Amino acid sequence: MEELFSTTYPVAQADYVTAGKASADIKRRLKQLGVGGDVLRRVAVASYEVELNLVIHSLGGELTLTVFPDAVQLVSADVGPGIRDLAMAMREGYSTANEEARSLGFGAGMGLPNMKRNADEFDIQSEYGKGTTITMRFRLS
Amino acid sequence: MTIRDMVRILSARVLIGEEKLDTPVYTACCSDLMSDVLAFVDEKTVLITGLTNPHVVRTSEMLDLKCLVFARGKIPTEDILESAEEQGLVVISTKLTAFSTCGMLYEAGLRGVPVPVEWDSKEEK
Ligand SMILES: Nc1ncnc2c1ncn2[C@@H]1O[C@H](COP(=O)(O)OP(=O)(O)O)[C@@H](O)[C@H]1O
Ligand SMILES: [Mg+2]
C-alpha cells in the first residue's frame, strides 16, 4: 500500500546520552498524524527498545519509520556485528549488555521479547559478522 | 488519591508540575529496570525509582506516565527536569526509601499495576 510518510534516524553506537531521542520524535510525529492509544504506546515501547539495542549492541545503524494508511512500520538496520545465536537472543533474560547499559536500567534481556509482544508482525534477520535487521509492523484499525 | 495526596503522605518535594497535583492516581510501579517497566506497564501510572538518568524520563514519555517519584531524596539534573517539564510529567522527590514509599502509598490505597500472577505451565522451574 502507498506510504503516507517515511523518515530515517541515524543511531550511533554507545551514544547513551541521546539514545531514545529518535523514539521520542517518532512518538511525537505519530501523534501529530492522529495515531493514539494502545497502538501508539506499543510502537513507542518497541521503538525505544530497538533504538537502545542499536546504541548498546550494534556498531551503529538507523531506524526508519514508515506510515501506511493501515499500518505503522519500524525498521532497524545496523552495520554489525550481528547476532551469533538468534534463538538465545530472543529468550527473556538473555543479555550481553555492558555495565554502562545496565547502570541506565537496560540490559535485562527483555527488549527483543518485548518488541515481539508489542508488534503485530515481527521479523528479525541477523548474520554474524554482517548485521541485524528488525522489521516490525503495527496495524492501525 | 491525587498526586497532591502522595506529596503529603511522602513529605515529598514537588520538582516539576505544581499545576497538575490534582491529577488522580490509582496505580503505581517501582523499579530501577527501565526494560522491566517497558515490559509490563500498559497504563498511565506512577513510577517510583531510585535512578535519576535521562532514560527514566524518556521511559515515562514512551509510556505517558503521570508522575515520577524519586526515592531517597534523589534529585535529577536540571536538563532531565526540563525534559520532564516539556512532556508534562509531574516529578516529586521524597526522602523515604523506595520500600517505605511503596508501603505508605499502598497503605493509603494505591495499588500495583495489574500483572498476571498465575504461572504459565510451560515456564521453567
Ligand atoms: N542490533 C543488535 N546487534 C547485535 N546484537 C544484538 C542487537 N540487538 C540485540 N542483540 C543481542 O541480543 C541480546 C538480547 O537483546 P534484548 O532482548 O534487547 O536484551 P538487552 O538489550 O537487555 O541485552 C543482546 O544482549 C545482544 O546480545
Ligand atoms: Mg535491549
Side-chain angles (χ1 to χ4, degrees):
Chain A
M1 211 177 269
E2 197 187 330
E3 62 180 64
L4 301 174
F5 175 82
S6 187
T7 183
T8 295
Y9 304 83
V11 181
Q13 173 188 24
D15 186 356
Y16 298 101
V17 181
T18 55
K21 286 252 164 86
S23 300
D25 196 67
I26 285 172
K27 190 178 179 197
R28 249 170 262 138
R29 278 173 191 268
L30 289 175
K31 221 172 180 174
Q32 284 167 7
L33 290 171
V35 180
D38 175 61
V39 184
L40 183 62
R41 185 189 54 78
R42 289 190 287 117
V43 175
V45 166
S47 166
Y48 194 37
E49 285 286 7
V50 86
E51 181 182 358
L52 263 294
N53 275 5
L54 285 174
V55 173
I56 297 167
H57 307 294
S58 89
L59 301 170
E62 50 186 42
L63 187 56
T64 301
L65 164 73
T66 310
V67 183
F68 298 93
D70 62 343
V72 172
Q73 180 178 277
L74 287 177
V75 177
S76 157
D78 65 50
V79 296
I83 301 173
R84 212 188 280 263
D85 187 341
L86 203 52
M88 199 70 164
M90 288 305 301
R91 281 174 67 159
E92 209 156 277
Y94 175 82
S95 176
T96 59
N98 62 20
E99 211 27 65
E100 186 161 19
R102 285 173 203 274
S103 73
L104 294 173
F106 292 89
M110 304 179 66
L112 289 172
N114 198 22
M115 288 172 218
K116 192 172 176 190
R117 191 161 49 234
N118 278 294
D120 292 310
E121 288 168 43
F122 175 91
D123 178 68
I124 181 164
Q125 303 289 335
S126 190
E127 194 175 330
Y128 194 65
K130 280 213 166 139
T132 303
T133 301
I134 295 173
T135 306
M136 292 182 274
R137 278 177 85 96
F138 306 80
R139 278 191 293 277
L140 296 171
S141 50
Chain B
M1 73 176 78
T2 62
I3 298 176
R4 192 182 302 283
D5 295 323
M6 288 175 42
V7 170
R8 182 179 39 79
I9 292 162
L10 303 173
S11 306
R13 185 189 275 186
V14 180
L15 304 178
I16 294 288
E18 193 75 54
E19 71 289 352
K20 290 187 170 170
L21 295 184
D22 292 316
T23 307
V25 290
Y26 309 98
T27 59
C29 63
C30 175
S31 183
D32 287 347
L33 253 183
M34 292 308 114
S35 279
D36 215 5
V37 175
L38 286 162
F40 78 85
V41 173
D42 60 0
E43 56 184 53
K44 298 177 179 180
T45 186
V46 173
L47 171 60
I48 299 153
T49 185
L51 276 190
T52 52
N53 69 60
H55 288 285
V56 176
V57 170
R58 244 165 250 159
T59 298
S60 307
E61 182 173 7
M62 291 303 122
L63 295 169
D64 280 327
L65 300 187
K66 291 179 183 169
C67 177
L68 256 180
V69 183
F70 291 112
R72 289 265 300 120
K74 300 223 172 62
I75 298 192
T77 55
E78 204 51 48
D79 52 322
I80 294 176
L81 287 177
E82 264 168 38
S83 72
E85 190 157 29
E86 273 167 36
Q87 54 167 290
L89 193 64
V90 181
V91 183
I92 68 176
S93 180
T94 172
K95 287 280 188 184
L96 294 170
T97 62
F99 177 82
S100 299
T101 301
C102 295
M104 292 176 80
L105 293 177
Y106 196 96
E107 194 172 57
L110 210 61
R111 288 295 175 261
V113 172
V115 291
V117 293
E118 297 300 327
W119 290 92
D120 189 329
S121 58
K122 292 192 298 285
E123 272 174 292
E124 293 161 51
K125 290 228 173 67

